[in-house]
Amino acid sequence: MPILPDASGRFGTFGGRYVPETLVGALDELAEQYAEACADPAFQAELDSLLWHYVGRPSPLYHAERLSEQCGGARIYLKREDLNHTGAHKINNTLGQALLTRRMGKHRVIAETGAGQHGVATATACARFGLECIVYMGAEDIRRQRPNVFSMKLLGAEVRPVTSGSRTLRDAINEAMRDWMASVGTTHYCLGSVVGPHPFPQIVRDFQAVIGREARRQCLDQLGRLPDVVVACVGGGSNAAGIFYPFLDDAGVKLLGVEAGGRSGAPGDHAAPLCFGSPGVLHGSFSYVMQDDDGQTADVHSISAGLDYPGTGPEHSYWKDIGRVEYTQATDAEVLTAFDRLARCEGILPALESSHAVAKAMDLAARLPADQVVVVNLSGRGDKDAAEIARLRGEEAGGLGEQERTEATERGKLR
Amino acid sequence: MSAIDQLFADLRAAGRKAFMPFITAGDPDLDFTADVLRTLVERGSSMCELGIPYSDPIADGPVIQASYTRALEQGIKLRDIFGMLERLTPELPAPVVTMVSYAIVYRRGPERYVAAARAAGIAGAIVPDLPADEAQALADACRREGLSLIQLITPNTPRDRALRIAEQTTGFIYYVSVAGITGERTELPPEIAENVAWLREQTPLPVCIGFGISRPEHVQALAPVADGLIVGSAIVRRIAEASHKPREQVLRDIAEYVDTLLAAMR
């Protein structure tokens, strides 16, 4: 595989930099500082030390034996990013960007968040480095991910509700960009996924690639071989890019990205631009996006706030078009089933985002022979989702049975 | 010579400056947009900038965002906007340029977009999320069709880059007064005059200033240093009142406001 992005920030035809002139200087500076940081062994050493002692890396590669048995086919291994400090993979990126912020001499950090995991991870890194932190979050996401909102405040961040548009991740990114337009001299925008203008998709992928490097090494150490399939959920696509990237040249390893299939494949019912969308421009980059025939961004839906986004990373678009990664989708209902299954038979509450990957891994494992190995990126923990799941099932948080679930479905609460 | 080049040649010969209001197409509907454009030109606007509503405008403040949302909620489509302009521009004695996101241009394809814009009588395009480094394909298409591609230069654009942007620009240069988003401001940065004066020494292109301009004192201070001024949010805010005021009243309010600014320009 060629080394990408190229000098113009492109992955094939995807990527680039579609931003107002006001931001071009800051993106140039970021690209330059990042290149210098990459060449500086002290930078990498400091980041590695933080990942080891502060985040708790390496995260385990765990053989989910009972889940594998129940699926009745291939062996399923979970890359336990949910065990990281702050409960998701997002901290890998925010610590790296906090170090870059300090390098650039900036003291204020802004971020967008959907599920709140990137917001918490940014607030955490800012607290750790004494940086001012402002997180933009859609009002709808604030409602459905309340535990994370409170955590951000406890960590000293200011959470600014975004009430424009769909009141979700997409609008939070718009608002963060607008803040950055006026504050670009003193502020770093800590973008949380492999989206946005160059160099963000590259920087975030590189900081997350620790997941794939570890998983690859762990497979060789624990199993004596590479896995047959690696599965990850894809919204913007940072955890997927992170685990896929180090496997790209391993032709025998199949890579599967799982988008949010929502209620159905009908427009507005899902958030799966790689499955159902078309190439277009959104949030500073050229990539697959859900849009209408005029290029207006379309409304999307997902049960999980972190995947409820109409665009995706430009490198995923590239991997799709060259056929290196296969992209599929899991519906809200499949996701809830996978969530329950992992909770009940492994004692792990996965984030609803990660449950998309679990759902498709279960399907896949059932169809593969027992000597095959499926690695799932369990990108985050699901505590944040417990209350929302209870609400969807028409319950106060507490004993949730199949019976109640069926009733809730019939009442139309879970479509 | 393009309509915009002709306009600035005439203005320069007369020692006058361009006044360029911005409004959103289809807020609250296209009939009213046509009425507002006629009023703006009748009162003495030299050129009109028409915003094509976009779902995710990252360079715009709350006033223009809200107007885009109102227009999109009415289900406005690009073909309707071009249709209205095709009927209106022949009778309108001032050029119309559009502010349009590259998401919309790309969806049609630069070639097709430019051809359709020309057919609708549009004189120029401002694409606020297309920096010069990404603009070559559109610039080529614009040159072939004779559509001006108006590029933006900001206070934080390095001077060598500003010169490269100017080379790719046709019609006029849009100098953004502040690092930030659109919207009315009480005060504008003092270094505008110096930056614009420098720019006008480097290029034969006219330089117009936009973002934040809303008050007669802004106009008084900036008109002498530039070739023209762009006023957006202050007018869009008045159009928003059409939701609860008679339209004739809104048109009168706009006319009065424009009169005040034009008086400050002279």
Side-chain angles (χ1 to χ4, degrees):
Chain A
M1 296 276 291
I3 302 287
L4 293 173
D6 64 19
S8 63
R10 301 242 169 210
F11 306 88
T13 57
F14 298 104
R17 201 183 260 181
Y18 297 92
V19 294
E21 172 65 18
T22 301
L23 297 181
V24 169
L27 293 169
D28 280 341
E29 182 198 9
L30 181 60
E32 210 171 281
Q33 292 276 350
Y34 178 64
E36 279 177 27
C38 288
D40 177 359
F43 179 89
Q44 201 53 55
E46 187 174 7
L47 181 56
D48 285 347
S49 170
L50 282 165
L51 292 174
W52 187 273
H53 299 289
Y54 185 70
V55 176
R57 302 207 71 92
S59 67
L61 183 72
Y62 165 72
H63 183 195
E65 280 182 75
R66 279 181 26 96
L67 182 70
S68 305
E69 256 169 46
Q70 287 198 8
C71 294
R75 285 174 287 163
I76 299 174
Y77 283 76
L78 305 177
K79 178 61 176 163
R80 298 291 308 274
E81 292 298 298
D82 61 316
L83 293 179
N84 290 341
H85 181 41
T86 74
H89 70 291
K90 295 291 189 185
I91 190 81
N92 302 326
N93 170 46
T94 60
L95 286 171
Q97 291 206 39
L99 290 178
L100 283 176
T101 305
R102 199 182 60 184
R103 234 182 137 86
M104 290 186 287
K106 293 183 171 180
H107 55 77
R108 181 176 179 267
V109 170
I110 54 173
E112 84 295 337
T113 197
Q117 293 300 125
H118 175 59
V120 169
T122 306
T124 299
C126 287
R128 170 66 183 73
F129 286 95
L131 302 164
E132 183 188 351
C133 180
I134 287 137
V135 180
Y136 290 93
M137 187 168 186
E140 166 65 8
D141 293 340
I142 286 179
R143 183 195 63 70
R144 56 181 165 169
Q145 307 277 229
R146 191 154 286 284
N148 278 338
V149 178
F150 193 56
S151 298
M152 284 184 263
K153 290 180 181 168
L154 291 174
L155 290 160
E158 182 193 338
V159 180
R160 293 194 183 160
V162 178
T163 54
S164 56
S166 57
R167 303 147 67 95
T168 60
L169 177 56
R170 155 191 163 200
D171 308 282
I173 295 179
N174 288 338
E175 218 45 51
M177 290 263 191
R178 287 177 193 128
D179 180 315
W180 206 30
M181 290 277 287
S183 63
V184 69
T186 58
T187 298
H188 175 61
Y189 179 15
C190 183
L191 195 47
S193 194
V194 288
V195 300
H198 175 69
F200 282 114
Q202 175 190 11
I203 291 177
V204 179
R205 175 201 72 196
D206 290 353
F207 285 146
Q208 293 295 1
V210 65
I211 306 171
R213 284 195 303 271
E214 281 178 10
R216 193 173 182 283
R217 168 53 46 197
Q218 287 164 322
C219 284
L220 294 172
D221 289 350
Q222 293 172 220
L223 311 167
R225 70 198 226 19
L226 291 174
D228 297 286
V229 191
V230 177
V231 188
C233 68
V234 181
S238 69
N239 88 79
I243 198 165
F244 291 164
Y245 189 66
F247 286 103
L248 287 178
D249 290 327
D250 299 315
V253 179
K254 180 181 151 114
L255 305 174
L256 181 66
V258 186
E259 294 192 290
R263 295 179 287 248
S264 80
D269 265 5
H270 59 79
L274 289 160
C275 292
F276 301 116
S278 52
V281 174
L282 177 65
H283 291 148
S285 146
F286 177 61
S287 194
Y288 276 84
V289 57
M290 295 310 305
Q291 58 186 339
D292 73 6
D293 56 357
D294 268 0
Q296 308 287 354
T297 311
D299 286 336
V300 292
H301 159 83
S302 169
I303 192 173
S304 77
L307 304 184
D308 197 352
Y309 181 63
T312 192
E315 193 162 21
H316 286 293
S317 299
Y318 171 70
W319 290 337
K320 171 191 161 76
D321 277 14
I322 62 167
R324 179 62 188 93
V325 180
E326 185 189 329
Y327 294 90
T328 180
Q329 34 93 25
T331 64
D332 289 351
E334 290 173 310
V335 166
L336 286 169
T337 302
F339 178 96
D340 283 343
R341 186 72 76 85
L342 199 64
R344 302 280 177 90
C345 75
E346 293 289 348
I348 296 171
L349 293 184
L352 283 176
E353 291 76 18
S354 322
S355 301
H356 286 71
V358 175
K360 287 296 129 172
M362 283 163 47
D363 282 359
L364 193 63
R367 286 183 275 117
L368 292 174
D371 63 343
Q372 300 244 312
V373 171
V374 176
V375 169
V376 184
N377 195 7
L378 198 70
S379 55
R381 56 190 291 163
D383 310 54
K384 68 184 178 66
D385 295 310
E388 176 67 0
I389 291 172
R391 188 191 70 85
L392 287 168
R393 290 173 179 174
E395 291 260 335
E396 294 303 310
L400 310 167
E402 200 59 39
Q403 181 67 32
E404 292 94 315
R405 180 104 151 270
T406 311
E407 285 166 15
T409 307
E410 282 163 5
R411 286 199 301 273
K413 289 184 176 170
L414 280 178
R415 279 175 293 167
Chain B
M1 196 180 231
S2 79
I4 297 176
D5 296 343
Q6 186 66 55
L7 170 73
F8 281 104
D10 293 349
L11 287 169
R12 278 185 172 179
R16 291 177 54 220
K17 304 303 169 87
F19 177 74
M20 201 184 318
F22 168 98
I23 65 169
T24 295
D27 175 21
D29 56 53
L30 283 171
D31 284 345
F32 194 59
T33 299
D35 289 343
V36 176
L37 288 172
R38 282 190 204 98
T39 301
L40 290 168
V41 174
E42 271 166 26
R43 304 316 293 184
S45 301
S46 336
M47 181 168 10
C48 293
E49 185 187 343
L50 192 63
I52 308 292
Y54 175 53
S55 51
D56 298 83
I58 56 175
D60 282 304
V63 171
I64 292 176
Q65 277 175 52
S67 77
Y68 282 180
T69 303
R70 283 193 298 274
L72 289 171
E73 276 169 357
Q74 302 302 313
I76 191 157
K77 303 296 282 184
L78 190 60
R79 62 170 179 274
D80 304 326
I81 299 171
F82 282 179
M84 180 272 287
L85 287 173
E86 199 177 337
R87 291 186 294 277
L88 180 71
T89 47
E91 58 167 278
L92 205 65
V96 173
V97 300
T98 52
M99 174 79 90
V100 58
S101 167
Y102 193 64
I104 295 170
V105 175
Y106 175 81
R107 187 66 165 149
R108 281 237 159 169
E111 300 275 347
R112 282 184 59 215
Y113 180 89
V114 170
R118 286 303 284 153
I122 295 167
I126 304 166
V127 191
D129 52 0
L130 189 69
D133 326 81
E134 302 278 5
Q136 200 53 54
L138 184 62
D140 293 343
C142 284
R143 247 177 239 283
R144 278 194 296 276
E145 289 281 341
L147 188 77
S148 296
L149 183 61
I150 297 134
Q151 303 263 37
L152 296 96
I153 291 176
T154 63
N156 60 6
T157 304
R159 289 192 161 179
D160 55 337
R161 180 174 167 85
L163 297 180
R164 287 204 304 278
I165 294 174
E167 269 170 37
Q168 214 186 40
T169 302
T170 46
F172 66 92
I173 290 170
Y174 190 133
Y175 183 80
V176 177
S177 67
V178 290
I181 53 180
T182 58
E184 297 169 61
R185 285 167 174 82
T186 327
E187 286 189 33
L188 295 170
E191 66 272 18
I192 298 178
E194 191 199 324
N195 287 344
V196 172
W198 176 83
L199 207 50
R200 288 175 84 204
E201 279 166 22
Q202 311 300 314
T203 168
L205 285 165
V207 180
C208 299
I209 308 174
F211 280 43
I213 301 172
S214 57
R215 303 178 168 210
E217 57 266 32
H218 298 154
V219 171
Q220 251 157 5
L222 295 178
V225 305
D227 293 283
L229 301 180
I230 302 157
V231 176
S233 295
I235 296 172
V236 173
R237 181 162 58 79
R238 285 169 171 81
I239 292 173
E241 293 177 352
S243 65
H244 60 272
K245 265 191 193 173
R247 291 186 171 195
E248 297 71 32
Q249 181 62 48
V250 174
L251 290 174
R252 277 198 298 276
D253 291 349
I254 291 169
E256 212 168 278
Y257 176 67
V258 168
D259 288 351
T260 313
L261 295 187
L262 280 168
M265 192 171 253
R266 284 180 195 117

